[in-house]
Amino acid sequence: MRNHTSLTEFILRGIPQTEGLEPVLFVLFSFIYLFTLLGNLLIFTAITSSSALHTPMYFFLGLLSIFDMLFPSVTCPKMLLYLSGQSRAISYEGCAAQLFFYHFLGSTEGCLYSVMAYDRFVAICHPLRYMLIMKPEVCVSLVTVSFLVGCLQATILTSFTFHLTYCGPREVDHFFCDIPAVLPLACNDSSLAQRVGSVNVGLLALTLLFSVCVSYTHIGIAILRIRSAEGRQKAFSTCSAHLTAILCAYGPVIIIYLQRAPNPLLGAVVQILNNIVSPMLNSLIYSLRNKEVKNSLKRVFQNIVPSV
């Protein structure tokens, strides 16, 4: 067997077909990233500062806001660095960490969407038993299971990807380290890791999406049975924001990992939507479509600026 020298770093090639647009992209993505952090921080502050929002629904929404701050932080800071003219190099360990936390946070957030759908199902289909079913210990258990699923998923994917030898080309044809971009650089057969990645990501995404569909099917039936138009409108408004956020999150994942012939430009655009734009949209969706959050945000701003 030939002796191979393992790589100590990779080079991120960035977003395809954007040469010369780095300054514009830097300004655009900096604004989106800062808006995402600020928007989700405000939602988290509004939830924690208002005793009226200390319910299971807003407990999960507060956690979602934290994840929407952490998830883009896995890839965006490094991307902004090289868009500003800094080095595109990322260490081997940094690449592995980026891949791990990307899938850990993404998988956990996907589980959290399913938990939130179940919470809405209990609230609308079993309103009288809601607080009995969604007890604090049950909420904590559901979140713990979500964390464990995300950690297990990320550990499997990272292990299968980085147990391979990387000794030759080191240019990652993407703006961050993800499985489809890293595996082609391996010196040995990566077919098993590729299959494991596609099956695991696809299976988890479809399973979670199926659980959301089951919950919302029951919710839809329950809403149709409500006699008053006002009651139907109120029930629908509590779910529409969550359902919109789910569509924004799962759409890109399914496009990326289930396409047969990956297109680099399409993959990069979809990943940007998934990594940076969706977390920003969540803060807008939940703040603009939720009266309780809007009222709490007004109180937060009034405390900061008394004259408002």
Side-chain angles (χ1 to χ4, degrees):
M1 296 180 65
R2 294 179 298 172
N3 292 325
H4 293 301
T5 302
S6 297
L7 294 177
T8 59
E9 65 178 20
F10 295 94
I11 304 296
L12 300 173
R13 296 186 63 181
I15 305 169
Q17 303 178 25
T18 57
E19 292 78 8
L21 297 176
E22 286 84 0
V24 176
L25 294 177
F26 174 78
V27 173
L28 175 63
F29 293 143
S30 295
F31 172 78
I32 293 175
Y33 181 52
L34 292 175
F35 187 89
T36 299
L37 296 180
L38 179 61
N40 284 288
L41 181 60
L42 285 174
I43 289 179
F44 181 76
T45 303
I47 291 172
T48 55
S49 63
S50 175
S51 58
L53 301 184
H54 293 174
T55 63
M57 172 183 171
Y58 293 104
F59 169 68
F60 297 130
L61 180 56
L63 285 176
L64 182 65
S65 297
I66 294 175
F67 276 94
D68 281 337
M69 288 187 281
L70 295 176
F71 188 58
S73 298
V74 174
T75 59
C76 202
K78 180 62 181 176
M79 181 177 67
L80 292 177
L81 274 177
Y82 66 71
L83 285 176
S84 66
Q86 303 296 316
S87 173
R88 292 175 177 262
I90 182 171
S91 68
Y92 181 90
E93 294 77 11
C95 188
Q98 203 175 55
L99 190 148
F100 175 85
F101 283 107
Y102 173 76
H103 286 281
F104 167 64
L105 294 171
S107 299
T108 306
E109 188 167 346
C111 294
L112 193 59
Y113 279 124
S114 295
V115 170
M116 293 174 73
Y118 174 72
D119 171 75
R120 292 300 82 208
F121 159 73
V122 176
I124 292 176
C125 298
H126 305 283
L128 299 179
R129 299 171 55 201
Y130 176 68
M131 295 307 298
L132 181 64
I133 296 174
M134 300 302 293
K135 296 182 292 186
E137 53 267 31
V138 172
C139 296
V140 172
S141 298
L142 290 172
V143 172
T144 302
V145 171
S146 299
F147 270 90
L148 292 176
V149 170
C151 186
L152 179 62
Q153 174 82 329
T155 301
I156 292 173
L157 297 177
T158 307
S159 299
F160 271 88
T161 301
F162 285 94
H163 87 284
L164 301 171
T165 302
Y166 294 90
C167 57
R170 59 175 185 162
E171 291 191 345
V172 178
D173 193 19
H174 209 24
F175 65 92
F176 75 102
C177 292
D178 196 15
I179 297 172
V182 173
L183 284 182
L185 305 180
C187 296
N188 39 11
D189 185 17
S190 61
S191 57
L192 177 60
Q194 201 164 16
R195 286 197 298 271
V196 169
S198 299
V199 171
N200 276 36
V201 174
L203 184 62
L204 180 62
L206 291 175
T207 300
L208 295 176
L209 185 59
F210 176 74
S211 70
V212 170
C213 290
V214 170
S215 294
Y216 272 97
T217 299
H218 286 89
I219 289 171
I221 294 172
I223 290 176
L224 291 175
R225 289 176 179 172
I226 299 175
R227 294 182 178 181
S228 67
E230 183 180 353
R232 285 196 299 270
Q233 178 65 27
K234 184 178 180 180
F236 178 76
S237 65
T238 61
C239 299
S240 59
H242 179 232
L243 195 57
T244 303
I246 288 174
L247 293 175
C248 292
Y250 279 106
V253 173
I254 293 174
I255 292 173
I256 293 166
Y257 290 98
L258 298 185
Q259 57 179 334
R260 291 187 176 182
N263 183 305
L265 180 58
L266 175 63
V269 171
V270 173
Q271 284 282 22
I272 289 171
L273 292 174
N274 184 48
N275 293 14
I276 304 173
V277 179
S278 290
M280 179 192 68
L281 291 177
N282 282 351
S283 62
L284 288 174
I285 290 168
Y286 285 110
S287 60
L288 295 178
R289 296 187 63 85
N290 191 298
K291 290 183 179 179
E292 289 82 1
V293 173
K294 283 193 291 186
N295 292 334
S296 183
L297 283 173
K298 288 179 182 178
R299 288 192 292 270
V300 170
F301 280 119
Q302 287 171 352
N303 291 331
I304 296 173
V305 184
S307 62
V308 174

